[in-house]
Amino acid sequence: MKKEILKLNFINNKEFLNIVKELINNKTVQEMKKYRQHYETSCFDHCYMVSYYCYLICKKYHLDYKAVTRAAMLHDLFLYDWRVRQPNRKGLHAFTHGKTACDNASKLFDLSQKEKDMILTHMWPVTLRFPTSIEGFILTFVDKYCAMSETFEVLKSRMFMKKAFRYAYVFFSLLMIRF
């Protein structure tokens, strides 16, 4: 339900769509839909969601919302299944994909230095290099929030599929109401 409401907001937000239009219509960016990011969420959908939240936050606080929206849409532009070891990749995905995404995005689009920095540093604090702008920090935290939300939704739905967990949930809910 929550995702459907947000998708309607994306469709109705013309300014957001104008900012990301060039990016999301790109054939290479569209390929992100083939790769899962967090459980059932595609890499494209994850980046789109992060981009929209960054847009809303930075617009509200009169920050560089255009740059952060673009950087957020491209922050995970790697075209491989990160769960499978890539023979030509040195290092773990969490430490290397920011650079891969920045390199891929730079080949396709004219990015500002600020946008490049946000893409490169979005994995802070996992990577030691931290963002140099407030928009970069916002992208970093929104990315973590979306990743946790996507993961939690799947784990929650899997947990409630098991009868024992449903009964335990009802039992503890009743117990909490009593006290």
Side-chain angles (χ1 to χ4, degrees):
M1 175 74 173
K2 185 179 172 186
K3 266 189 178 177
E4 288 79 20
I5 292 169
L6 284 172
K7 283 185 182 179
L8 287 175
N9 287 337
F10 295 157
I11 293 167
N12 293 328
N13 194 320
K14 290 179 183 174
E15 184 177 40
F16 170 75
L17 289 173
N18 282 332
I19 295 168
V20 297
K21 181 173 46 177
E22 173 196 11
L23 309 177
I24 64 175
N25 289 329
N26 181 280
K27 189 178 96 173
T28 304
V29 173
Q30 285 288 315
E31 285 184 45
M32 293 167 64
K33 291 179 179 179
K34 296 178 186 176
Y35 301 97
R36 285 183 309 121
Q37 179 69 329
H38 306 111
Y39 290 97
E40 294 155 11
T41 306
S42 74
C43 194
F44 181 91
D45 288 342
H46 167 73
C47 288
Y48 198 70
M49 186 72 74
V50 172
S51 182
Y52 187 65
Y53 284 137
C54 286
Y55 163 80
L56 291 175
I57 293 167
C58 289
K59 177 127 175 117
K60 178 177 177 144
Y61 293 105
H62 307 288
L63 299 169
D64 191 354
Y65 64 90
K66 290 179 182 177
V68 75
T69 301
R70 287 172 46 88
M73 189 62 221
L74 302 170
H75 80 276
D76 282 340
L77 184 58
F78 54 85
L79 300 174
Y80 58 83
D81 182 351
W82 64 267
R83 293 160 186 82
V84 177
R85 180 79 174 128
Q86 306 296 313
N88 58 345
R89 189 178 76 223
K90 293 182 178 157
L92 297 173
H93 171 78
F95 298 101
T96 62
H97 80 273
K99 178 159 177 21
T100 302
C102 188
D103 291 346
N104 290 342
S106 295
K107 290 175 190 170
L108 298 171
F109 306 103
D110 185 26
L111 301 177
S112 69
Q113 190 55 45
K114 187 177 196 176
E115 291 168 333
K116 290 177 185 177
D117 180 72
M118 286 187 266
I119 295 169
L120 282 169
T121 62
H122 80 273
M123 284 303 291
W124 179 83
V126 174
T127 57
L128 296 178
R129 185 173 172 194
F130 60 89
T132 58
S133 65
I134 192 160
E135 295 88 351
F137 278 102
I138 290 169
L139 169 55
T140 297
F141 292 121
V142 169
D143 179 43
K144 306 307 177 268
Y145 170 79
C146 288
M148 289 188 316
S149 295
E150 293 158 5
T151 302
F152 179 74
E153 283 300 314
V154 171
L155 295 177
K156 184 174 78 171
S157 68
R158 288 182 184 177
M159 184 176 80
F160 285 105
M161 288 171 61
K162 299 185 188 282
K163 256 186 182 177
F165 285 115
R166 283 196 306 254
Y167 290 128
Y169 178 76
V170 170
F171 173 75
F172 284 117
S173 296
L174 291 172
L175 193 62
M176 295 305 287
I177 291 171
R178 188 152 197 275
F179 295 105

